[in-house]
Amino acid sequence: MATSLLQMEGDDSVHLHITHSNLKSFSADVRFSPQMSVEAVKEKLWKKCGTSVNSMALELYDDTGSKVALLSDDARPLGFFSPFDGFRLHIIDLDPSSVTTGGWLEDTSLVEKYNISEEDYAKRTDSFRKFKEKRVSQNPVPAEAKVCQNEYINTKENHMEDLCANIKVGDRCQVEPGEKRGMVKYVGRAESLGPGYWVGIQYDEPLGKHDGMVKGTRFFECPPLHGGMVRPDKVKVGDYPERDPFEEDEI
């Protein structure tokens, strides 16, 4: 008790770890004044966990997990029970109908979801659908704007298609940057990479990132780390023979 009094005089607060009987994932570290009554401690905890003061029982455990005291007298100060920093204060919810029972506060799958039929939703005048329809009726999209939108979408889908006119599967090529040489293995769209046209390359050397499969889609076959998918503007086709790895520069 003398040690406890020394702590109370030297430090006006004690740091306790809080747990709850119903809320398994609930934990908190809270500072309390030793002069606070047990009732005041319960008031403070009620705001954190939802268990009412009248339904709350408190147990104090030391840092080894041993039970030190049951805080049964609401009028006594917390310091009477000799709490120290690092001790655990365990909340027991005695109310069988408490909001903390049944896991409702932790598992949202247990909460009944509100459902509405399509027919009933269509009858509502305050829904987002009605709001959207009203905005469209008040601000209709001009026909010219719709044409522009369609042209823009079509342009995106056909991006760089014209650059593929002279690129055929089987062509030897060189890819920039880096002057990487290889063979064209695929020409066409690759929606998983982005709108427009792409060219699949099998590099002569392991300078690629895959074996022709990109994001779960197989575009062509090649050895691992020899495959690349690039935009047509990075590809030059022509007489690009494989480089001799032992070729040396002239002196």
Side-chain angles (χ1 to χ4, degrees):
M1 189 65 172
T3 305
S4 176
L5 292 174
L6 287 174
Q7 183 188 10
M8 291 170 56
E9 293 173 359
D11 184 358
D12 193 39
S13 65
V14 61
H15 194 196
L16 302 179
H17 182 65
I18 312 300
T19 56
H20 195 284
S21 61
N22 292 340
L23 304 177
K24 303 307 178 185
S25 63
F26 173 84
S27 65
D29 293 302
V30 183
R31 285 197 172 275
F32 299 94
S33 168
Q35 284 77 36
M36 291 178 67
S37 67
V38 171
E39 184 176 15
V41 170
K42 289 181 178 180
E43 291 266 0
K44 190 170 184 176
L45 294 175
W46 161 68
K47 298 175 183 178
K48 292 184 176 293
C49 69
T51 299
S52 67
V53 172
N54 294 332
S55 301
M56 187 185 299
L58 297 177
E59 294 178 339
L60 184 66
Y61 292 81
D62 64 18
D63 51 7
T64 67
S66 299
K67 184 175 177 180
V68 174
L70 173 65
L71 281 60
S72 56
D73 190 341
D74 286 354
R76 286 192 181 276
L78 176 62
F80 173 82
F81 301 95
S82 303
F84 287 91
D85 285 345
F87 278 24
R88 178 168 66 94
L89 195 58
H90 184 60
I91 302 168
I92 300 175
D93 195 324
L94 303 174
D95 183 1
S97 61
S98 170
V99 294
T100 67
T101 58
W104 301 103
L105 296 182
E106 295 180 296
D107 188 353
T108 56
S109 66
L110 298 175
V111 180
E112 183 179 356
K113 308 300 188 296
Y114 175 72
N115 293 307
I116 185 172
S117 68
E118 176 63 26
E119 182 181 357
D120 290 337
Y121 184 74
K123 293 178 181 179
R124 297 190 61 147
T125 59
D126 58 348
S127 65
F128 176 75
R129 182 187 298 173
K130 292 295 184 183
F131 169 76
K132 188 176 179 180
E133 290 174 353
K134 183 177 180 181
R135 289 292 299 272
V136 170
S137 64
Q138 292 175 343
N139 302 285
V141 178
E144 309 84 51
K146 291 182 179 179
V147 171
C148 290
Q149 288 177 358
N150 292 335
E151 289 180 349
Y152 174 70
I153 293 172
N154 186 58
T155 300
K156 285 182 64 178
E157 291 300 316
N158 297 321
H159 181 54
M160 293 194 181
E161 180 183 16
D162 56 326
L163 298 180
C164 296
N166 298 317
I167 303 176
K168 303 184 301 297
V169 173
D171 284 344
R172 291 290 302 173
C173 64
Q174 182 168 283
V175 178
E176 301 294 344
E179 298 184 348
K180 296 178 288 187
R181 292 186 182 182
M183 179 184 294
V184 176
K185 299 283 285 187
Y186 174 83
V187 180
R189 293 189 177 93
E191 296 175 354
S192 60
L193 300 179
Y197 278 70
W198 296 79
V199 179
I201 308 294
Q202 176 178 323
Y203 295 115
D204 297 335
E205 302 173 77
L207 303 173
K209 297 182 178 179
H210 49 76
D211 63 352
M213 178 178 283
V214 183
K215 295 185 177 180
T217 301
R218 171 67 65 185
F219 292 98
F220 57 92
E221 298 276 354
C222 74
L225 299 180
H226 282 66
M229 294 289 286
V230 298
R231 287 296 191 179
D233 60 343
K234 306 296 183 185
V235 180
K236 294 180 181 179
V237 296
D239 185 17
Y240 293 105
E242 291 189 37
R243 291 192 175 93
D244 184 350
F246 302 104
E247 181 181 11
E248 295 181 358
D249 295 335
E250 294 184 1
I251 298 176

